[in-house]
Amino acid sequence: LGMAAPAALQRSVVSPAGRHTASLIFLHGSGDTGQGARAWIKQILNQDMAFQHIKVIYPTAPARPYTPMKGAFSNVWFDRYKICNDCPEHIESIDSMCQGLTDLINDEVKNGIAKNRILIGGFSMGGGMAMHLAFRFHQDLAGVFALSSFLNKDSAVYQALKRNESTLPELFQCHGTADELVLYSWGEETNKMLKSLGVSTSLHTFPNLNHELNRTEIEKLKSWIVKKLPVEAPKAN
């Protein structure tokens, strides 16, 4: 008998102003919640990150014991042995969460949204999770974004892409040069590796930005989102 199906992830949703034809899934950083990430972005922009046609979904990671916090429970997408880029990935926890997030993607598909009209990304650990999900399991998504994120040196993502033949989602990456938690060099190396494996990537560098988000970055992200998920022309009868 396999594991019981994971309970549906809790989520905070910003509905589109008009007809819903695309969806965006934003994954929070470690220890945060969907509501927390939404509130943080709202505080930076002075309003929700909202669109005419795109539904924005902020799921919350289930609480689990987290090794970097000495096993204390935390809302994290997966466990890590430590926060570094040259240690092995905790692949069991990454893969089990890929299943829960696949259910979330499938919910959107059931609502009539095509996979190529869905974007996924996130901040810090959320961006790492998004890269695993898109590049290993959902290569038909519209794109992936990773803000202050990285992949470990021998990531399962790189192994999967070495064997890959199909077209891959585009990656939009942002990183502050003053980040003391996830070093800028880790983000840069992730970008170079993915590019060498055939991913179309961009890396936006923010001088003096620590492990955080800022307004310029979110405005850049919003422009990219609308470029990847343009408003669809109404179908002629």
Side-chain angles (χ1 to χ4, degrees):
L1 246 168
M3 287 179 61
L9 296 167
Q10 287 187 304
R11 54 197 89 163
S12 180
V13 175
V14 181
S15 298
R19 196 167 71 90
H20 174 208
T21 64
S23 296
L24 168 72
I25 299 169
F26 189 105
L27 305 179
H28 63 73
S30 59
D32 201 355
T33 61
Q35 283 89 336
R38 175 182 175 177
W40 189 19
I41 289 175
K42 190 173 182 173
Q43 181 197 342
I44 294 168
L45 293 176
N46 292 319
Q47 60 187 34
D48 267 315
M49 180 165 71
F51 302 90
Q52 188 60 32
H53 59 298
I54 307 167
K55 173 182 177 183
V56 185
I57 305 162
Y58 295 95
T60 295
R64 57 162 300 132
Y66 188 44
T67 304
M69 284 171 51
K70 297 187 172 44
F73 271 68
S74 187
N75 293 91
V76 288
W77 297 109
F78 48 86
D79 198 7
R80 295 199 249 237
Y81 297 105
K82 51 181 193 284
I83 301 174
C84 67
N85 75 334
D86 56 0
C87 57
E89 290 174 323
H90 195 289
I91 199 70
E92 301 81 356
S93 61
I94 292 173
D95 287 357
S96 78
M97 188 48 65
C98 281
Q99 188 49 60
L101 288 164
T102 292
D103 293 344
L104 185 60
I105 291 171
N106 289 341
D107 282 349
E108 293 309 295
V109 173
K110 283 185 200 118
N111 288 331
I113 305 301
K115 289 277 286 290
N116 66 1
R117 297 282 293 167
I118 300 174
L119 278 178
I120 186 153
F123 175 73
S124 194
M125 173 186 265
M129 186 74 233
M131 291 187 278
H132 274 272
L133 192 66
F135 294 129
R136 292 175 57 212
F137 300 103
H138 297 282
Q139 296 180 345
D140 47 353
L141 289 172
V144 194
F145 61 93
L147 316 173
S148 312
S149 306
F150 74 103
L151 290 170
N152 294 29
K153 279 195 195 315
D154 58 351
S155 176
V157 173
Y158 303 149
Q159 310 311 319
L161 294 183
K162 279 173 187 156
R163 301 186 294 270
N164 178 66
E165 298 297 309
S166 61
T167 321
L168 297 162
E170 184 186 323
L171 173 68
F172 176 95
Q173 238 182 308
C174 294
H175 216 116
T177 58
D179 195 327
E180 286 160 13
L181 184 67
V182 175
L183 303 185
Y184 177 78
S185 60
W186 301 356
E188 191 176 36
E189 187 179 313
T190 299
N191 194 281
K192 285 193 177 120
M193 271 299 292
L194 290 170
K195 187 169 255 166
S196 76
L197 292 166
V199 178
S200 159
T201 67
S202 57
L203 174 58
H204 302 269
T205 303
F206 293 84
N208 311 321
L209 185 70
N210 201 323
H211 195 65
E212 57 196 344
L213 296 171
N214 72 13
R215 187 167 185 144
T216 315
E217 178 181 12
I218 295 171
E219 295 292 2
K220 267 195 163 111
L221 174 63
K222 281 186 73 172
S223 307
W224 179 78
I225 289 166
V226 174
K227 195 181 91 198
K228 298 308 291 180
L229 301 175
V231 175
E232 287 185 330
K235 297 192 173 52
N237 291 341

